[in-house]
Amino acid sequence: MKRVQYDRHGGPEKMYFGDYDLPPAGDGEVRVSVNAAAINPLDWKLRQGAMKLFTGRRFPKGMGTDFAGIVEAVGGGVVDFRVGDEVFGTMDFKRSGAFAEAVLVEAAHLAKKPPQLSFAEAASLPIAAMTAWVAIIDRAKARPGARIFINGCSGAVGALAIQLAVSRGAHVAGACGPASRESARAAGVSPLFHYSDSQAYTRQGTYDAVFDTLGTLDVGHGFAMLNPGGVFVDINPTPARLLRGVLSRRYKLAFATMGIKHLPAIAELAGNGTLRPAIGLEAPFTDALSVIADTEAGRRTSGKTVLTF
Ligand SMILES: NC(=O)c1ccc[n+]([C@@H]2O[C@H](COP(=O)([O-])OP(=O)(O)OC[C@H]3O[C@@H](n4cnc5c(N)ncnc54)[C@H](OP(=O)(O)O)[C@@H]3O)[C@@H](O)[C@H]2O)c1
């Protein structure tokens, strides 16, 4: 079988199509034949070695985390999935490799694919939706009437965060770049600011939560935008941001890994139309190397980029 893999950390030139084998599904594991796999910033950050403290030095490493496909085999103790089920899910970032013909994952990292969604739409959801869930529902505690500001409201995480917040009755304001204004307005963000206008973010009041999807909002400025008791939610911690934030009870981190338990609820919301995946480009797996490199270089589409098999 073929997958996208690399033998050393580094840039896009390190990726190649390699042969690999999967062991039989062990206890609690499910083997899935992949129909679609979505590209996330996490994929190239892992390849660049940004998390090598956690991922170790064993190579080759497979690339890709989010996928959708059909169950081929189940291991002992798996009761929620059967051979032939249509599923979607995400691989643990320490053993990624979803840009591949088949994957072996823990059953806890899977959910049934809503029949209303294509494989590509389902594959586009896990990391972005789990992160948005942890940020907006678990950390920001979105509720009717809450005022939430989203910095970077038009990316994969930001767009789903708006939908989750609005579904909970919250009011969403935010900031985006010029190319994203139309989609952010259509999603209901109001008022909507340009990043260069950050001093105006509180012109129409302060917020119960500020969610920075990009890691570009000054943490001190974010704190100044909060109502008493409000929280600043960060998904791009750096040592400097952590230092600034960790001393404050208003600073909250959110990670996709904390959201795996929400995958079945995310499937339900996507099935009933509350969460609406946006696909910008579907490309064949055979083009994976150039498509991943272009996405990493910042090629803009109207949604997620998904590889199809
Ligand atoms: N902590 C975690 O577990 C976790 C999980 C997921 C993501 N993250 C991180 O959060 C950040 C955002 O992730 P993301 O998946 O939302 O990234 P993304 O989809 O690439 O969006 C990032 C920004 O790119 C611009 N953009 C919007 N649509 C675009 C498109 N179609 N093509 C190219 N650029 C587009 C937008 O900014 P403009 O306003 O400028 O248009 C958007 O806010 C990344 O740094 C990622 O690594 C962290």
Side-chain angles (χ1 to χ4, degrees):
M1 289 186 298
K2 292 283 182 203
R3 69 174 185 177
V4 177
Q5 60 185 39
Y6 53 98
D7 296 332
R8 297 184 65 174
H9 292 301
E13 72 286 351
K14 296 286 189 279
M15 302 182 289
Y16 64 94
F17 286 108
D19 292 309
Y20 74 109
D21 292 314
L22 286 178
D27 286 351
E29 289 182 331
V30 179
R31 180 181 160 126
V32 179
S33 166
V34 176
N35 287 29
I39 299 172
N40 287 286
L42 174 68
D43 301 323
W44 60 77
K45 290 183 181 179
L46 286 170
R47 193 207 58 228
Q48 289 164 358
M51 296 177 208
K52 58 186 171 197
L53 270 181
F54 304 103
T55 53
R57 298 209 149 264
R58 189 181 295 179
F59 294 97
K61 291 187 190 302
M63 258 189 101
T65 44
D66 286 353
F67 63 88
I70 296 173
V71 172
E72 281 185 342
V74 296
V78 175
V79 292
D80 293 333
F81 302 101
R82 289 191 305 193
V83 172
D85 281 350
E86 296 186 348
V87 295
F88 73 113
T90 190
M91 301 189 73
D92 187 314
F93 75 94
K94 291 181 197 151
R95 47 182 281 205
S96 53
F99 301 153
E101 290 172 298
V103 293
L104 194 58
V105 290
E106 290 169 44
H109 289 223
L110 281 181
K112 298 259 176 71
K113 180 181 83 63
Q116 299 86 343
L117 264 54
S118 67
F119 284 104
E121 288 171 327
S124 76
L125 282 172
I127 284 191
M130 294 188 313
T131 308
W133 187 296
V134 174
I136 291 296
I137 296 177
D138 296 344
R139 298 285 184 265
K141 312 272 185 226
R143 59 195 175 278
R147 286 172 50 81
I148 299 181
F149 184 95
I150 302 180
N151 184 54
C153 55
S154 61
V157 175
L160 293 169
I162 298 168
Q163 294 168 16
L164 281 174
V166 169
S167 76
R168 295 284 169 127
H171 178 87
V172 180
C176 69
S180 303
R181 286 191 75 76
E182 203 178 310
S183 62
R185 276 201 199 291
V189 179
S190 175
L192 178 63
F193 301 93
H194 187 276
Y195 301 122
S196 62
D197 210 11
S198 64
Q199 293 313 313
Y201 289 173
T202 49
R203 198 164 45 205
Q204 294 183 37
T206 47
Y207 303 93
D208 300 304
V210 170
F211 174 27
D212 183 9
T213 72
L214 299 178
T216 55
L217 184 63
D218 178 76
V219 177
H221 185 46
F223 285 165
M225 294 166 61
L226 293 173
N227 292 327
V231 293
F232 180 98
V233 185
D234 194 358
I235 59 171
N236 291 282
T238 59
R241 285 167 76 81
L242 278 174
L243 200 64
R244 179 74 178 83
V246 110
L247 299 172
S248 168
R249 292 170 66 179
R250 293 179 294 176
Y251 180 82
K252 307 272 181 198
L253 285 170
F255 294 106
T257 43
M258 301 159 168
I260 284 173
K261 58 183 178 294
H262 302 309
L263 210 47
I266 287 166
E268 192 181 333
L269 291 186
N272 70 24
T274 303
L275 284 180
R276 298 172 298 282
I279 307 295
L281 175 70
E282 278 188 50
F285 178 55
T286 46
D287 292 350
L289 302 186
S290 61
V291 170
I292 297 164
D294 287 350
T295 309
E296 183 172 350
R299 174 175 57 189
R300 182 173 284 273
T301 69
S302 55
K304 295 282 286 186
T305 297
V306 182
L307 303 169
T308 51
F309 294 71

